[in-house]
């Protein structure tokens, strides 16, 4: 049973547009929510992460919105660029630090 | 630059042989590391937690005798796929949490492609 549900499975957005990826979780013990970017044949790279005591975190063009009561969090990629074309994974971790549960992933394609 | 390094990045082995994959934390100590497996176009599935100086903890359904994990030092964990079969062909990725001055961050290695022929 997947502990973190991610949608959509894939996303096509025009250059300059906003990419939005959503994740939901059930386990309220999760206390760390990172987003990873993965290019084909490479390991995941940390983009941005948030903890439940914060509702929003922004780093450059990437923003995480966190809704603790709804047990949902989302990634917004502003001003999407072709170089952002990759697979994005949300994840969650609790207690045992570093043991991540991953969402299914979203393949983002940014068209020129 | 990379803070978690994996070696080899690609390996091809014959069916029935064993292959070892290394995961190193380059500039921090990691008492715990994690091993994941990823099939094409799928998510990362946690295989096991590697603990320095003690036995690894395996996730349900992962054969511990097939996927041997050794965490020999604070910067090195190894995954050995024993008696490999074609179905073991996959992308294996390790991660390590850094609780140092950079803040609590989980870094991933570049991954190791295993092909069993």
């Amino acid at each position: 049973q997947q502990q973190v549900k991610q949608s959509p499975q894939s996303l096509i957005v025009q250059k300059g547009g906003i990419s939005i990826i959503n994740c939901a979780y059930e386990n309220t013990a999760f206390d760390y929510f990172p987003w990873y970017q993965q290019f084909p044949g490479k390991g995941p790279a940390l983009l941005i992460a948030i903890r439940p005591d914060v509702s929003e975190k922004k780093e450059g063009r990437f923003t995480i919105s966190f809704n603790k009561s709804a047990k949902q969090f989302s990634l917004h990629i502003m001003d999407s660029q072709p170089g952002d074309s990759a697979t994005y994974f949300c994840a969650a971790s609790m207690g045992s630090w570093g043991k991540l549960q991953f969402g299914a992933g979203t393949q983002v394609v940014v068209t020129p | 630059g990379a803070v978690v390094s994996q070696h080899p990045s690609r390996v091809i082995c014959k069916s029935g042989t064993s292959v070892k994959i290394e995961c190193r934390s380059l500039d921090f100590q990691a008492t715990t590391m994690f091993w994941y497996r990823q099939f094409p176009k799928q998510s990362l599935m946690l295989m096991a937690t590697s603990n320095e100086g003690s036995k690894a903890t395996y996730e349900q359904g992962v054969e511990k005798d097939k996927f041997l994990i050794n965490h020999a030092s604070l910067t090195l964990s190894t995954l050995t796929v024993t008696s490999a079969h074609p179905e073991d062909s996959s992308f294996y990725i390790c991660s390590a949490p850094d609780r140092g001055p950079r803040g609590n961050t989980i870094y991933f290695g570049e991954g190791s492609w295993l092909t069993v022929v």
Side-chain angles (χ1 to χ4, degrees):
Chain A
Q1 183 183 1
Q2 199 155 31
Q3 296 193 41
V4 181
K5 296 183 179 180
Q6 183 173 346
S7 63
Q9 186 175 6
S10 62
L11 181 61
I12 299 174
V13 61
Q14 283 192 328
K15 180 181 176 180
I18 303 174
S19 303
I20 302 174
I21 306 170
N22 301 299
C23 284
Y25 65 96
E26 286 298 323
N27 192 337
T28 55
F30 286 143
D31 59 3
Y32 176 71
F33 302 88
W35 284 89
Y36 287 87
Q37 178 189 57
Q38 186 179 33
F39 293 105
K42 301 293 184 182
L46 179 66
L47 269 179
I48 187 172
I50 200 168
R51 293 196 176 274
D53 54 350
V54 177
S55 62
E56 185 175 283
K57 184 175 181 180
K58 183 176 181 179
E59 289 184 2
R61 296 185 293 110
F62 301 96
T63 301
I64 297 179
S65 296
F66 187 83
N67 186 330
K68 188 175 180 178
S69 60
K71 292 186 285 187
Q72 295 176 347
F73 58 111
S74 61
L75 175 70
H76 290 60
I77 306 174
M78 313 300 286
D79 187 26
S80 296
Q81 299 296 312
D84 296 333
S85 296
T87 300
Y88 293 81
F89 292 95
C90 63
S93 177
M94 63 174 173
S96 177
W97 176 254
K99 185 174 179 178
L100 290 167
Q101 299 292 337
F102 279 87
T106 298
Q107 184 174 11
V108 174
V109 174
V110 181
T111 59
Chain B
V3 295
V4 174
S5 174
Q6 277 186 245
H7 177 81
S9 58
R10 289 182 178 273
V11 58
I12 301 173
C13 72
K14 290 185 177 181
S15 192
T17 63
S18 296
V19 60
K20 181 184 291 186
I21 301 170
E22 294 185 346
C23 178
R24 294 181 184 273
S25 55
L26 297 183
D27 58 356
F28 66 96
Q29 294 182 334
T31 56
T32 305
M33 292 184 178
F34 300 88
W35 287 96
Y36 295 82
R37 183 175 183 177
Q38 186 179 33
F39 290 107
K41 298 190 183 300
Q42 293 190 22
S43 189
L44 287 79
M45 297 299 296
L46 179 65
M47 296 175 66
T49 303
S50 175
N51 303 299
E52 189 269 334
S54 65
K55 291 182 179 180
T57 305
Y58 290 83
E59 296 299 302
Q60 191 172 9
V62 177
E63 300 176 62
K64 61 180 180 181
D65 294 331
K66 181 165 189 60
F67 299 100
L68 300 179
I69 292 172
N70 183 23
H71 199 138
S73 75
L74 289 171
T75 60
L76 173 64
S77 174
T78 60
L79 169 69
T80 301
V81 183
T82 63
S83 186
H85 290 283
E87 56 265 32
D88 298 325
S89 299
S90 187
F91 192 46
Y92 292 89
I93 313 170
C94 70
S95 73
D98 179 8
R99 311 186 198 200
R102 285 183 292 232
N104 292 331
T105 303
I106 302 165
Y107 293 102
F108 280 81
E110 283 292 302
S112 299
W113 282 102
L114 169 63
T115 302
V116 184
V117 298

